[in-house]
Every structure is written in C-alpha cells, then in structure tokens.
Amino acid sequence: MSTLEKTQLQLGYIPLLDCIALLWAKQQGFFEEVGLDVTLVKEASWASLRDRLAFGLLDAAHCLSAMLPAAAVGADQIGIALQTPLILSKNRAFISLSQKLTHQLAIQENDNPQATAQKVTSYIKEDNALSLAHVFKHSIHHYCLREWLALADSKIAQTFKLKALPPPYMVEALDNHVIDGFCVGEPWNTQGELLGLSKIVCSSQDIIPNVADKVLAVTQEWAEQHPQTLIALTAAIIKAQKELSDLKDFSPVLKLLVDFGIVRFHCSEEVHVDKYYMIQNIVKNLVKENAAPQPEDFHWLFEQMQKWDELQIDQAQITSLGAQCINLEAYEQAKQLYSS
C-alpha cells in the first residue's frame, strides 16, 4: 500500500444507526489494519459537526448528504467545498407524530403518506398550533417533510415553518411539548414509540427517491492533500459495511450501539422483538450493494434546494457541482484495497 500522508485521524459522527460502520471499523481493528489511528468524536449537532469538519478540527465525518451541495453553493454560510467517496446510508428516515396527535387526527396504521398529510394539513388549515422538526435545513429529512406536506397542499408545504433539532433531542423535545412530530433517522423514532410518546406514520422511502442520506465526507482540500489516507479510511469502512451486512449474530452490533448511547432502550430476541429485528434489518441494509456515491443523488438534492430553498441554479451548474461532490476515484481504489 502507498505511504499514508496522515495516520492519526479525528472522525466525527452523530448518534444514529447509520454511523455504525464507523464504530464497527474501530472496534474490529479495520482502521489499524490499514495503518490508521482513528479517534471517534461524537458531535452534539449537525451544525457543530459541519463547522468542525469545514475548519479542520475533524479530518472526516459521518455527514448529511445535503451538506455537500449546500457547501458547493455557499448556502451553508461557509462555502468550504466537501466531497464524499462513500455512502453510509440511503433514504432511511421516518416521520413520527405524537401519539396524542395521531389519535386526535384519527391516523390509522394503513393510512398512506398522502392520507396522513391530508389529515395534518387540514388540521393546520383550521388554525391549530402545530410544530414539526427535522434534523437540519440541508438534509433529506427537511425535504421529506416538505414533499410529504405537498402531497396534500403545496402552499402549506412551501410556507409552513419547520424547526431544526439534533437527532438525539427529538424525543425529549416531543416529551416536553416543544414539538408535535419530527422526521429523523433511527433509532429515535423507535425510542419515541417504546416510550409511548410518538408513532411512526410514514417512511421516507414512500415519499422521496432512494437517494443518499448519510455519507463519509471530507473537505475537498483535505482529499487533495491526503489521497492515500482517504483511500485507506474508505477501505476500512467498506470492510465494516460488508461485515455488518453479512453478520449472522446481531447481538455484538446491538451491544456496540448501546455502549455508544445510540440505542437507549432494551430490545432483543425476547423483548420488543419486532423492534430488535427492525433495527437489525436497517443496519444490514443501510446501503444495499453499491456504496459508491452517485451524481444523480446530488442532482436531486440541488433540485430540492431549488424547490424549497429558492436556490437559483441552472441544469449545467447542477451537473458540474454534483460531480464535484463525489470522489469516485477514492471509492474505486478503496474497493481494490479492501479486496486485496
């Protein structure tokens, strides 16, 4: 293997199921196998993670895919270009509402997204106070909520004010009556259900395309300065992804998620069995077969920024900037390193 430009790395993450490949690579010694000494850094919010990555306090991070196009056009108020060699998850969010609200609106388990959106927008039109949250302005979660509301009322979808909260605070905010519902990744929807506070009413998979949700991200400058290090880092995480997708015994993975404070409820093959297998299924299928970042994912994100954030950009710019968000060369070389 080529000489690494840097071996001691700070790797940021937010407590969600789709950071598991980073945690697993660390625990299983995959980073060490490729010559890296990686310190995992838990961040309090997506905003702090983005800032620390952009300004060099983190070498790489578990990032929202939409942060990359936002950085490309300076919509994040920073404008430091980011890129990704690897997808960590695709379209794995859910929309949850308080159990009180779902009962009040007579939302049923077999209601499709349009039906649930219709009940919610009708409630809003009746001048009822309602507060919904997503994880960050530049996220598929924000766009999923907008697209969901648009299934029933495009005007409300465009004008309704949404809050932004870090994923680990969603359930607490709902319990404290700060919000009435949220769109977030797992395991926070499940935690809300098991505490009797919220209910999942629809999946992002039924609302938006199967686009990248979280990615491994670095600044473009860092990638240019540390190409071999980026390849090694990516290869170690690819190995972790492969092992996680093939594992027969899920209990060590669940223990790791509990130890890192990501899963904060008891579930097993005996207790909350459905939730246990749901979490196992999500972890095993975070990216399916191909974890290579695709230009089309970023084209869709730019189009969402046009639609909901009033970004002024033409198709040629979308194509050009979308290509700059990905580092396929690092992915391909990492795949070769992993296979060797």
Side-chain angles (χ1 to χ4, degrees), residues 161-190:
K161 188 170 183 180
L162 299 169
K163 286 186 168 74
L165 289 170
Y169 299 127
M170 290 292 190
V171 176
E172 182 182 349
L174 190 123
D175 190 23
N176 291 331
H177 309 292
V178 175
I179 58 174
D180 303 294
F182 49 75
C183 182
V184 70
E186 283 288 70
W188 304 109
N189 300 279
T190 294

Side-chain angles (χ1 to χ4, degrees), residues 10-14 41-83 134-139 143 164 166-167 214-220 222 305 309:
Q10 301 286 310
L11 182 56
Y13 72 95
I14 293 286
V41 182
K42 181 170 75 172
E43 291 292 342
S45 69
W46 287 118
S48 68
L49 181 145
R50 175 204 59 191
D51 293 352
R52 285 165 55 80
L53 178 64
F55 294 116
L57 297 172
L58 296 172
D59 294 287
H62 160 236
C63 265
L64 293 161
S65 58
M67 285 180 171
L68 279 63
V73 296
D76 61 354
Q77 309 303 311
I78 299 174
I80 294 176
L82 304 175
Q83 61 177 219
H134 54 69
V135 302
F136 196 66
K137 180 180 180 181
H138 302 117
S139 68
Y143 304 135
K214 309 302 188 319
V215 298
L216 175 68
V218 296
T219 66
Q220 185 175 312
W222 195 96
M305 292 173 70
D309 301 333

